[in-house]
Amino acid sequence: MKLKSLILGSVAAAGLSTAGFAADLGVLTSLDVCDELGLSGLTISSDTNCLQISGKVTYEFNWGNYDGKQAIASTQFGVRNIDVPSALAPASDNDWASKVETWLKFVGTASSDFGPASTTIVLRQRDYTKVENAIVGVDGDAHGLRFQEAWVSVGDSTVLAAGKKGSIFNDGDDEPFNFTGLFISSAVDAGVSKGAPKTGGHVIQLWSNVGEGLIAKIGLEALDLTGSTAGTLVGVLDYSGSGITAHISGAVGGLLDGVQTTDDNYAIHAGFTGTFDQFKLRAALGAGGAYAPGGNSSYWNALVTGEAKFDMFKVALSGEASGGVAAGGAALDTDYGFGASVGATVADGIEINLGGRYFNDGTPGVADGYQIAAQLIASLTETVKLTGEIGVYGLTPAPAAPAFSSDFYGKAELAWTPGGGFSSSVGATVQQNGAYKVTFKAAKAFQ
């Protein structure tokens, strides 16, 4: 009995002693530097710096017979095509592509008298194999491991940044709301054109929070280029507040050589998005030009789109136009297009979209392009989603046979997002003209 009492007493004493030691340690321990700086995610801290680490790996594989192209809309900024199959029998018609893209980002931050001081380093590699008709091709999108970004910054409400970095030029607030998009918009990466001045690369940038949601930015960019394209002055005003986001960006390129050449150019991009209860409105304008000895060139590209939600229904309308002046002074034909879609949530986790888009080529005698589509999105489970679409691309007025006039298609995708930043999907597209493509995707991000 005495032995049992002795053991229990020793345990109790040890517990009290440990609790007291822990209390003393809590008094002596200061906050982690990452906590002091308000930084979270995957972090490593020293006495003065917080290192944030994030990254992502994406994989995509395509296989089928799809390497040919048929023009649907020849816009001012590029041609929009549909796939066309090869017919090279007895040789192989098969095409495939395998792409792995990897990036790893490190941000080291410490406090300074002027605000947070940080170093940002981004490593990226894009491993890309592309095969057409069983013959290996070369794609300029591939590159080995490189420093995609390497820059330093200091400041809080006012920030100075310099190094290898992306541009401050804001080209957002310009995507159409209808689910098929628009043809001119898709030729300039879903929006309006941001012009030809070179941006990003080696930069010196300064931005400041003016107040009331307004941020002013200015920078010298493309300082690593050589020749007549080097050096671009960029200025931006951004606004965000009360359901509105808006901006105006300007850029003047080809400044460093001090000589007037055809690479001396300018661009303006402005965008506005406003949300008013169940209504959403967006307008965007891109404009610019370049020096040419026989007469300067210029362009303009405008877009207006709106969306309204009514209980289970969603309606979207979009319109776009572009034009300008070619080098030498000749006026470019004015192209325009429009699109619309109607969406409805017909049951829990099931959505239907109906829509289309049309492109009017301003060139006399050239057929106009169109797309009509119906889409079904079904959430089979919390982590599995099925998307199906059927539709048709075509030209109007339809050219005489045997020239291309229209092509029906169907496609489906099964997507899986089990959590943890992982996503994967498998899909297939089949066209009336015989083209087909099977696609597998997988990705995982961490931060």
Side-chain angles (χ1 to χ4, degrees):
M1 193 68 167
K2 290 182 179 180
L3 181 60
K4 181 178 179 181
S5 299
L6 180 61
I7 293 173
L8 291 175
S10 299
V11 170
L16 292 172
S17 175
T18 303
F21 176 74
D24 291 341
L25 186 62
V27 172
L28 296 175
T29 302
S30 62
L31 284 173
D32 180 270
V33 66
C34 295
D35 296 329
E36 292 178 348
L37 293 168
L39 304 177
S40 60
L42 179 56
T43 60
I44 301 174
S45 63
S46 66
D47 291 340
T48 57
N49 280 271
C50 176
L51 178 64
Q52 295 173 288
I53 306 172
S54 58
K56 187 176 184 179
V57 174
T58 61
Y59 177 69
E60 180 176 341
F61 176 74
N62 293 289
W63 177 87
N65 185 357
Y66 54 83
D67 69 303
K69 302 301 175 187
Q70 166 63 52
I72 295 296
S74 297
T75 79
Q76 180 180 340
F77 305 102
V79 179
R80 311 317 297 155
N81 302 300
I82 62 170
D83 294 337
V84 174
S86 300
L88 304 176
S92 176
D93 296 324
N94 289 352
D95 313 305
W96 63 91
S98 184
K99 178 166 67 174
V100 178
E101 184 168 346
T102 308
W103 63 264
L104 193 58
K105 183 176 182 179
F106 303 90
V107 181
T109 306
S111 60
S112 79
D113 294 338
F114 193 67
S118 67
T119 298
T120 300
I121 298 174
V122 179
L123 300 173
R124 194 173 85 171
Q125 180 178 15
R126 187 180 288 128
D127 190 2
Y128 196 1
T129 300
K130 185 177 181 180
V131 179
E132 294 181 352
N133 302 320
I135 300 174
V136 177
V138 177
D139 195 286
D141 201 31
H143 62 77
L145 184 64
R146 69 187 186 191
F147 288 95
Q148 185 73 14
E149 295 186 11
W151 52 281
V152 296
S153 67
V154 64
D156 189 0
S157 59
T158 298
V159 178
L160 172 67
K164 186 176 183 181
K165 182 180 176 295
S167 177
I168 58 173
F169 192 95
N170 186 345
D171 59 350
D173 284 316
D174 64 349
E175 296 187 18
F177 293 131
N178 61 305
F179 92 90
T180 59
L182 296 169
F183 283 108
I184 302 175
S185 171
S186 64
V188 292
D189 195 20
V192 297
S193 176
K194 69 174 185 177
K198 303 295 184 181
T199 55
H202 292 189
V203 305
I204 303 171
Q205 299 169 343
L206 180 69
W207 61 88
S208 180
N209 188 340
V210 180
E212 302 297 330
L214 187 65
I215 299 176
K217 304 178 182 180
I218 190 169
L220 285 172
E221 303 185 355
L223 301 177
D224 53 321
L225 299 182
T226 59
S228 56
T229 60
T232 299
L233 176 64
V234 180
V236 183
L237 282 176
D238 288 335
Y239 174 78
S240 178
S242 302
I244 293 175
T245 58
H247 73 273
I248 182 168
S249 302
V252 180
L255 299 178
L256 292 187
D257 62 351
V259 178
Q260 191 172 47
T261 71
T262 54
D263 288 319
D264 292 345
N265 47 35
Y266 69 94
I268 296 172
H269 188 288
F272 166 90
T273 301
T275 302
F276 312 98
D277 296 324
Q278 72 267 38
F279 298 99
K280 188 181 292 186
L281 177 66
R282 174 173 291 163
L285 174 67
Y291 167 77
N296 295 346
S297 65
S298 65
Y299 74 90
W300 59 270
N301 180 199
L303 181 148
V304 177
T305 183
E307 181 183 83
K309 295 182 178 180
F310 307 98
D311 296 326
M312 60 182 291
F313 292 100
K314 178 173 64 177
V315 180
L317 298 173
S318 304
E320 63 179 352
S322 69
V325 177
L332 297 173
D333 295 319
T334 299
D335 298 335
Y336 66 87
F338 55 82
S341 63
V342 177
T345 303
V346 296
D348 187 23
I350 299 178
E351 180 182 349
I352 294 177
N353 293 302
L354 303 173
R357 53 179 172 167
Y358 169 83
F359 171 75
N360 179 275
D361 194 310
T363 305
V366 177
D368 303 330
Y370 66 87
Q371 178 194 10
I372 301 172
Q375 184 185 68
L376 171 68
I377 303 173
S379 297
L380 305 182
T381 69
E382 291 184 354
T383 61
V384 179
K385 179 181 291 185
L386 175 65
T387 302
E389 182 176 318
I390 58 173
V392 59
Y393 286 94
L395 299 176
T396 181
F404 168 84
S405 60
S406 64
D407 184 66
F408 288 85
Y409 69 91
K411 60 182 180 180
E413 181 186 67
L414 189 65
W416 180 44
T417 53
F422 180 87
S423 64
S424 181
S425 67
V426 60
T429 302
V430 179
Q431 297 174 220
Q432 179 189 7
N433 63 16
Y436 62 93
K437 180 189 288 187
V438 178
T439 301
F440 173 82
K441 297 179 182 180
K444 169 69 173 75
F446 69 90
Q447 59 181 11

